[in-house]
Amino acid sequence: MRKIAYLFVLLAIFMVNACSGSPETSPENTPKSTVAAPEKPVIAQSVTPAMRGKTLFTRCKSCHTLEQGGRHKVGPNLWEIIGSEAGARDGFAYSSAMSDTDIVWTLETLSAYLENPRKYLPGTRMSYAGLRKIEDREALLTYLAEQTQIANDEAK
């Protein structure tokens, strides 16, 4: 019994010293390092809207292709989508809502559609919930416009 009481006393003394900090381990007596901390790396280039748009387009890749002559997937190929008529791509079976509309895909109509496809065009089969943030839609459309420009340059 005495041994257990003695162990508790030693444990209590140890705990008091550990919590209060003995002079040997106090912050004032801790040796200071003379080696400077490494600096954080500097990012050489900031992320452009087109780069952000390319990243956002990865969400679209499961259903759409973007390259010239790309195949249709669950959604149509989007090569040169800006300036084209909605529901008019050959070889793709559109919903009647998309086929019967007279929408021309401009940056404004695409932005409105991508914000909430089912609200913008009730009856569309596009199951994507939408890009709510305007910055995301603008970045994605910048990327798509850049790809469209490449297509226009190659056609010349």
Side-chain angles (χ1 to χ4, degrees), residues 113-131:
Y113 181 71
L114 290 172
E115 182 177 10
N116 188 337
R118 291 178 182 231
K119 183 178 178 183
Y120 183 80
L121 188 63
T124 185
R125 280 187 267 175
M126 185 158 153
S127 61
Y128 186 64
L131 284 172

mmCIF file of all heavy atoms in Angstrom, residues 113-131:
data_model
loop_
_atom_site.group_PDB
_atom_site.id
_atom_site.type_symbol
_atom_site.label_atom_id
_atom_site.label_comp_id
_atom_site.label_asym_id
_atom_site.label_seq_id
_atom_site.Cartn_x
_atom_site.Cartn_y
_atom_site.Cartn_z
ATOM 1 N N TYR A 113 -27.984 28.866 -69.367
ATOM 2 C CA TYR A 113 -28.267 27.430 -69.405
ATOM 3 C C TYR A 113 -27.419 26.674 -68.383
ATOM 4 O O TYR A 113 -27.927 25.839 -67.642
ATOM 5 C CB TYR A 113 -28.009 26.889 -70.815
ATOM 6 C CG TYR A 113 -28.290 25.418 -70.979
ATOM 7 C CD1 TYR A 113 -29.587 24.925 -70.967
ATOM 8 C CD2 TYR A 113 -27.254 24.517 -71.171
ATOM 9 C CE1 TYR A 113 -29.851 23.573 -71.135
ATOM 10 C CE2 TYR A 113 -27.506 23.161 -71.342
ATOM 11 C CZ TYR A 113 -28.811 22.698 -71.324
ATOM 12 O OH TYR A 113 -29.055 21.351 -71.490
ATOM 13 N N LEU A 114 -26.132 26.993 -68.331
ATOM 14 C CA LEU A 114 -25.230 26.279 -67.420
ATOM 15 C C LEU A 114 -25.488 26.591 -65.949
ATOM 16 O O LEU A 114 -25.144 25.807 -65.081
ATOM 17 C CB LEU A 114 -23.775 26.599 -67.766
ATOM 18 C CG LEU A 114 -23.287 26.016 -69.081
ATOM 19 C CD1 LEU A 114 -21.903 26.558 -69.415
ATOM 20 C CD2 LEU A 114 -23.293 24.502 -69.051
ATOM 21 N N GLU A 115 -26.118 27.723 -65.683
ATOM 22 C CA GLU A 115 -26.449 28.047 -64.294
ATOM 23 C C GLU A 115 -27.434 27.030 -63.726
ATOM 24 O O GLU A 115 -27.297 26.578 -62.597
ATOM 25 C CB GLU A 115 -27.041 29.449 -64.197
ATOM 26 C CG GLU A 115 -27.358 29.846 -62.769
ATOM 27 C CD GLU A 115 -27.887 31.259 -62.659
ATOM 28 O OE1 GLU A 115 -28.196 31.896 -63.686
ATOM 29 O OE2 GLU A 115 -27.994 31.734 -61.513
ATOM 30 N N ASN A 116 -28.426 26.668 -64.508
ATOM 31 C CA ASN A 116 -29.421 25.685 -64.079
ATOM 32 C C ASN A 116 -30.134 25.161 -65.333
ATOM 33 O O ASN A 116 -31.164 25.711 -65.741
ATOM 34 C CB ASN A 116 -30.416 26.312 -63.111
ATOM 35 C CG ASN A 116 -31.337 25.295 -62.484
ATOM 36 O OD1 ASN A 116 -31.561 24.213 -63.024
ATOM 37 N ND2 ASN A 116 -31.889 25.637 -61.330
ATOM 38 N N PRO A 117 -29.589 24.128 -65.965
ATOM 39 C CA PRO A 117 -30.129 23.656 -67.245
ATOM 40 C C PRO A 117 -31.619 23.332 -67.226
ATOM 41 O O PRO A 117 -32.348 23.706 -68.141
ATOM 42 C CB PRO A 117 -29.301 22.408 -67.542
ATOM 43 C CG PRO A 117 -28.025 22.625 -66.810
ATOM 44 C CD PRO A 117 -28.394 23.375 -65.570
ATOM 45 N N ARG A 118 -32.096 22.674 -66.210
ATOM 46 C CA ARG A 118 -33.504 22.261 -66.175
ATOM 47 C C ARG A 118 -34.459 23.424 -65.944
ATOM 48 O O ARG A 118 -35.611 23.377 -66.361
ATOM 49 C CB ARG A 118 -33.713 21.172 -65.141
ATOM 50 C CG ARG A 118 -33.040 19.885 -65.581
ATOM 51 C CD ARG A 118 -33.182 18.806 -64.554
ATOM 52 N NE ARG A 118 -32.463 17.642 -65.029
ATOM 53 C CZ ARG A 118 -32.975 16.426 -65.088
ATOM 54 N NH1 ARG A 118 -34.198 16.208 -64.677
ATOM 55 N NH2 ARG A 118 -32.259 15.422 -65.522
ATOM 56 N N LYS A 119 -33.978 24.450 -65.303
ATOM 57 C CA LYS A 119 -34.814 25.643 -65.118
ATOM 58 C C LYS A 119 -34.835 26.472 -66.401
ATOM 59 O O LYS A 119 -35.868 26.985 -66.795
ATOM 60 C CB LYS A 119 -34.283 26.482 -63.954
ATOM 61 C CG LYS A 119 -35.120 27.705 -63.644
ATOM 62 C CD LYS A 119 -34.563 28.457 -62.451
ATOM 63 C CE LYS A 119 -35.377 29.704 -62.179
ATOM 64 N NZ LYS A 119 -34.812 30.487 -61.082
ATOM 65 N N TYR A 120 -33.662 26.594 -67.043
ATOM 66 C CA TYR A 120 -33.564 27.389 -68.269
ATOM 67 C C TYR A 120 -34.339 26.753 -69.416
ATOM 68 O O TYR A 120 -35.000 27.446 -70.171
ATOM 69 C CB TYR A 120 -32.090 27.549 -68.660
ATOM 70 C CG TYR A 120 -31.885 28.410 -69.886
ATOM 71 C CD1 TYR A 120 -31.924 29.799 -69.797
ATOM 72 C CD2 TYR A 120 -31.659 27.838 -71.129
ATOM 73 C CE1 TYR A 120 -31.736 30.598 -70.911
ATOM 74 C CE2 TYR A 120 -31.476 28.631 -72.251
ATOM 75 C CZ TYR A 120 -31.513 30.004 -72.142
ATOM 76 O OH TYR A 120 -31.328 30.784 -73.255
ATOM 77 N N LEU A 121 -34.262 25.419 -69.528
ATOM 78 C CA LEU A 121 -34.936 24.719 -70.614
ATOM 79 C C LEU A 121 -35.650 23.488 -70.044
ATOM 80 O O LEU A 121 -35.106 22.382 -70.061
ATOM 81 C CB LEU A 121 -33.932 24.308 -71.697
ATOM 82 C CG LEU A 121 -34.508 23.728 -72.974
ATOM 83 C CD1 LEU A 121 -35.372 24.759 -73.703
ATOM 84 C CD2 LEU A 121 -33.390 23.260 -73.887
ATOM 85 N N PRO A 122 -36.856 23.680 -69.501
ATOM 86 C CA PRO A 122 -37.593 22.544 -68.936
ATOM 87 C C PRO A 122 -37.759 21.440 -69.989
ATOM 88 O O PRO A 122 -38.050 21.711 -71.145
ATOM 89 C CB PRO A 122 -38.948 23.149 -68.567
ATOM 90 C CG PRO A 122 -38.672 24.604 -68.371
ATOM 91 C CD PRO A 122 -37.604 24.935 -69.376
ATOM 92 N N GLY A 123 -37.497 20.215 -69.562
ATOM 93 C CA GLY A 123 -37.603 19.077 -70.465
ATOM 94 C C GLY A 123 -36.267 18.637 -71.034
ATOM 95 O O GLY A 123 -36.190 17.623 -71.728
ATOM 96 N N THR A 124 -35.192 19.395 -70.750
ATOM 97 C CA THR A 124 -33.885 18.983 -71.232
ATOM 98 C C THR A 124 -33.470 17.693 -70.528
ATOM 99 O O THR A 124 -33.877 17.432 -69.399
ATOM 100 C CB THR A 124 -32.814 20.073 -71.004
ATOM 101 O OG1 THR A 124 -31.593 19.638 -71.605
ATOM 102 C CG2 THR A 124 -32.568 20.333 -69.537
ATOM 103 N N ARG A 125 -32.684 16.888 -71.208
ATOM 104 C CA ARG A 125 -32.195 15.651 -70.602
ATOM 105 C C ARG A 125 -30.868 15.848 -69.887
ATOM 106 O O ARG A 125 -30.347 14.913 -69.299
ATOM 107 C CB ARG A 125 -32.052 14.567 -71.664
ATOM 108 C CG ARG A 125 -33.382 13.915 -71.984
ATOM 109 C CD ARG A 125 -33.185 12.751 -72.890
ATOM 110 N NE ARG A 125 -33.345 13.257 -74.254
ATOM 111 C CZ ARG A 125 -33.146 12.544 -75.337
ATOM 112 N NH1 ARG A 125 -32.763 11.310 -75.259
ATOM 113 N NH2 ARG A 125 -33.332 13.080 -76.523
ATOM 114 N N MET A 126 -30.326 17.022 -69.945
ATOM 115 C CA MET A 126 -29.054 17.268 -69.265
ATOM 116 C C MET A 126 -29.293 17.192 -67.766
ATOM 117 O O MET A 126 -30.037 17.985 -67.198
ATOM 118 C CB MET A 126 -28.472 18.625 -69.647
ATOM 119 C CG MET A 126 -27.102 18.857 -69.059
ATOM 120 S SD MET A 126 -26.227 20.087 -70.005
ATOM 121 C CE MET A 126 -25.143 20.757 -68.792
ATOM 122 N N SER A 127 -28.658 16.209 -67.142
ATOM 123 C CA SER A 127 -28.909 15.960 -65.718
ATOM 124 C C SER A 127 -27.991 16.766 -64.800
ATOM 125 O O SER A 127 -28.122 16.691 -63.591
ATOM 126 C CB SER A 127 -28.752 14.471 -65.414
ATOM 127 O OG SER A 127 -27.435 14.049 -65.714
ATOM 128 N N TYR A 128 -27.070 17.510 -65.358
ATOM 129 C CA TYR A 128 -26.139 18.306 -64.558
ATOM 130 C C TYR A 128 -26.903 19.375 -63.779
ATOM 131 O O TYR A 128 -27.774 20.056 -64.326
ATOM 132 C CB TYR A 128 -25.086 18.948 -65.471
ATOM 133 C CG TYR A 128 -24.002 19.665 -64.725
ATOM 134 C CD1 TYR A 128 -23.131 18.996 -63.882
ATOM 135 C CD2 TYR A 128 -23.846 21.037 -64.860
ATOM 136 C CE1 TYR A 128 -22.134 19.656 -63.199
ATOM 137 C CE2 TYR A 128 -22.845 21.709 -64.186
ATOM 138 C CZ TYR A 128 -21.992 21.011 -63.353
ATOM 139 O OH TYR A 128 -21.011 21.670 -62.672
ATOM 140 N N ALA A 129 -26.584 19.516 -62.510
ATOM 141 C CA ALA A 129 -27.294 20.457 -61.633
ATOM 142 C C ALA A 129 -26.997 21.910 -61.969
ATOM 143 O O ALA A 129 -27.818 22.783 -61.714
ATOM 144 C CB ALA A 129 -26.946 20.190 -60.174
ATOM 145 N N GLY A 130 -25.841 22.178 -62.546
ATOM 146 C CA GLY A 130 -25.522 23.542 -62.949
ATOM 147 C C GLY A 130 -24.340 24.130 -62.213
ATOM 148 O O GLY A 130 -23.914 23.622 -61.183
ATOM 149 N N LEU A 131 -23.817 25.212 -62.789
ATOM 150 C CA LEU A 131 -22.737 25.983 -62.180
ATOM 151 C C LEU A 131 -23.354 27.252 -61.613
ATOM 152 O O LEU A 131 -23.706 28.159 -62.345
ATOM 153 C CB LEU A 131 -21.686 26.364 -63.226
ATOM 154 C CG LEU A 131 -20.734 25.287 -63.692
ATOM 155 C CD1 LEU A 131 -19.889 25.786 -64.859
ATOM 156 C CD2 LEU A 131 -19.844 24.834 -62.565
#
